[in-house]
Amino acid sequence: MSSEVIDTPTKILRATLELLEAPGAKLPTMSDIARATGISRQAVYLHFPSRTDLLVAATRYQDRQNQVDAALAPSRGARSGAERLDAFVTAWGNYIPKIYGVARAIMAVTDTDAEAAAAWNTRMQDMREGCAAAIQALAEDGSLPPDTDIEQATDLLWTLLSVRNWENLTQTCGWSQECYIATIRGLAMATIARDLGALTDVLACTDPPA
Amino acid sequence: MSSEVIDTPTKILRATLELLEAPGAKLPTMSDIARATGISRQAVYLHFPSRTDLLVAATRYQDRQNQVDAALAPSRGARSGAERLDAFVTAWGNYIPKIYGVARAIMAVTDTDAEAAAAWNTRMQDMREGCAAAIQALAEDGSLPPDTDIEQATDLLWTLLSVRNWENLTQTCGWSQECYIATIRGLAMATIARDLGALTDVLACTDPPA
DNA sequence: CGCTTGCTTGACACAGTGTCAATTGACAGC
DNA sequence: GCTGTCAATTGACACTGTGTCAAGCAAGCG
């Protein structure tokens, strides 16, 4: 067990993540977070000037913990464009569950809080770069349908891979993670890389019904 | 011009919709709505017990105004399953922009307000029935890939047609409505009805860039 | 005239965010 | 041991937004 001394900002971030990741979590208030951390509400403000700052810091902390770069690395080593697309979809799709708790919280305040919206957009923009790279690789292979707009293909892949779609399929519809991955992979491979064989994976998943 | 007398609840609903549909609208407060209606804040509470009730009532009022049933009717008259899927995707895709303002507001409070979430879910469940009917028609035609789970196919179509996806592509990425429709139609037709010809419409849209 | 209906004004409770000031306790350096 | 500093505490406060309550007012109607 690690008995290292943890500084207060880190303690706050950990407590925040724990609250956000709790099953069926409500959006925690600053009081909730302070209580969970074991300090006073004001002490939280000593380290994070606002709720939004704290949420943003929590996402960054989480990315560091999860080493998102490492998770997405395999896709960068792919030989062909199709392979790269495949690897990227799988890697990101499997990364989503790890960030979903925090993502939910950020997305929830996005409509009322411009700063949070900006933070979330930045994060999604990072992911979009992965999409763009995969599309670029396909383009260099000539695996993209003729006259394809690179931007448009990126938009589509980015949308298919959105956290909202993952949420809809796995949380609302009760799909298993495997089923989600197989379907989205098939969709992306078939419609973007025009690998029609990939269609066999779509809707061919046997899930134990929720 | 209609110079009919309009009762106060209706006035409130109309003012609310107007605020919600304003370009770049923030989520209106009860005070905003009262001001826009031209009555006192308390008067709003005389007709709608809470903000959530008002938002829900506004969506119902809007559905009545837009005659959502009529808009989706053509799909019910389709001869083949594929035709039905096609018509449904087009009809719903073109209906989304009409409800987007209100949808945004409801979705925004969904994370904090269980009642709003329920109202929104009901509405989306109604749409899901349209998806299910189209899938059913495909199944009866035998146009679905073998061993396809009907529920799963419905989930997928329902997710593809989500307001969030429309929002992402048209609002965030700046796609035109036509482009959105063409792409989602192609995606649905290709991956669910396995009409591979439909893929030619995907990513083949020339938009004036935003 | 008096009653009802719909609305008004103004006050209030409550939750949540964010700010401020005074205080405490620990710890380091001289 | 004294002093300064830093982190945290307590308690108060302003502000926004929701929702409640009570008293009053004006119009219409029997």
Side-chain angles (χ1 to χ4, degrees):
Chain A
M1 270 294 140
S2 63
S3 64
E4 356 118 44
V5 176
I6 306 165
D7 62 353
T8 306
T10 305
K11 271 194 219 156
I12 296 171
L13 291 173
R14 291 195 186 173
T16 305
L17 290 182
E18 214 163 299
L19 287 176
L20 288 172
E21 283 161 7
K26 298 264 155 287
L27 299 180
T29 66
M30 293 299 258
S31 301
D32 293 334
I33 291 166
R35 202 174 317 118
T37 311
I39 60 176
S40 69
R41 193 173 66 94
Q42 313 319 319
V44 179
Y45 283 101
L46 250 34
H47 301 283
F48 302 97
S50 77
R51 197 185 128 82
T52 301
D53 284 86
L54 173 51
L55 284 179
V56 170
T59 72
R60 298 211 197 294
Y61 179 73
Q62 193 186 41
D63 277 343
R64 246 175 297 135
Q65 296 301 98
N66 285 331
Q67 306 190 36
V68 55
D69 292 338
L72 296 180
S75 73
R76 282 192 283 275
R79 288 190 315 268
S80 72
E83 216 173 273
R84 176 157 196 164
L85 176 62
D86 192 342
F88 182 73
V89 170
T90 305
W92 172 254
N94 282 321
Y95 188 62
I96 295 178
K98 296 191 192 170
I99 62 166
Y100 177 59
V102 186
R104 244 183 80 243
I106 298 260
M107 292 189 298
V109 296
T110 263
D111 307 82
T112 51
D113 187 329
E115 204 186 325
W120 180 244
N121 287 343
T122 302
R123 211 163 182 236
M124 287 305 98
Q125 223 51 42
D126 289 349
M127 189 275 269
R128 196 175 195 282
E129 274 170 37
C131 294
I135 297 293
Q136 189 61 43
L138 283 168
E140 282 162 14
D141 278 12
S143 315
L144 242 35
D147 300 324
T148 300
D149 182 320
I150 301 274
E151 277 300 301
Q152 223 170 54
T154 306
D155 291 341
L156 179 58
L157 179 57
W158 186 58
T159 300
L160 283 177
L161 292 180
S162 70
V163 174
R164 294 293 188 185
N165 279 341
W166 179 89
E167 179 181 49
N168 224 29
L169 291 173
T170 69
Q171 306 302 108
T172 309
C173 298
W175 288 25
S176 69
Q177 176 68 13
E178 295 72 43
C179 214
Y180 160 82
I181 294 277
T183 300
I184 294 291
R185 256 190 56 208
L187 232 67
M189 296 295 283
T191 60
I192 299 173
R194 298 294 153 98
D195 170 5
L196 301 183
L199 276 179
T200 47
D201 291 342
V202 177
L203 302 180
C205 192
T206 50
D207 249 359
Chain B
M1 268 295 141
S2 62
S3 65
E4 356 118 43
V5 176
I6 305 166
D7 62 353
T8 308
T10 306
K11 272 195 218 156
I12 296 171
L13 291 172
R14 291 196 185 172
T16 304
L17 290 181
E18 215 162 298
L19 287 176
L20 289 172
E21 282 158 8
K26 299 263 156 286
L27 299 181
T29 67
M30 292 299 256
S31 301
D32 293 334
I33 291 166
R35 201 176 315 118
T37 311
I39 61 177
S40 69
R41 191 173 68 93
Q42 315 318 319
V44 179
Y45 282 101
L46 289 176
H47 301 284
F48 301 96
S50 78
R51 199 185 127 82
T52 301
D53 284 87
L54 173 51
L55 285 178
V56 171
T59 71
R60 298 210 197 294
Y61 178 75
Q62 193 188 39
D63 277 343
R64 248 177 294 137
Q65 296 301 98
N66 285 333
Q67 305 189 32
V68 56
D69 292 338
L72 298 180
S75 72
R76 281 191 283 275
R79 286 191 318 267
S80 71
E83 218 172 86
R84 176 157 196 166
L85 176 63
D86 191 341
F88 182 74
V89 171
T90 307
W92 172 254
N94 281 322
Y95 187 63
I96 296 178
K98 295 192 193 169
I99 62 166
Y100 177 58
V102 186
R104 244 184 81 245
I106 297 263
M107 292 189 299
V109 296
T110 262
D111 307 82
T112 51
D113 186 327
E115 202 187 327
W120 180 245
N121 286 343
T122 301
R123 212 159 180 237
M124 287 306 97
Q125 222 52 41
D126 289 350
M127 189 275 267
R128 197 174 195 280
E129 275 170 35
C131 294
I135 297 294
Q136 189 61 42
L138 283 168
E140 280 160 17
D141 280 13
S143 315
L144 242 37
D147 299 323
T148 301
D149 182 321
I150 301 275
E151 276 301 301
Q152 220 169 58
T154 306
D155 291 341
L156 179 59
L157 178 57
W158 186 59
T159 300
L160 283 176
L161 292 179
S162 70
V163 173
R164 293 296 186 182
N165 278 342
W166 179 89
E167 180 182 47
N168 223 32
L169 290 174
T170 69
Q171 305 304 110
T172 309
C173 298
W175 288 24
S176 70
Q177 177 67 16
E178 296 72 43
C179 216
Y180 161 81
I181 293 276
T183 301
I184 294 290
R185 255 190 55 207
L187 233 66
M189 297 293 284
T191 58
I192 299 174
R194 299 293 154 98
D195 169 6
L196 301 182
L199 275 179
T200 47
D201 291 343
V202 178
L203 301 179
C205 190
T206 51
D207 249 0

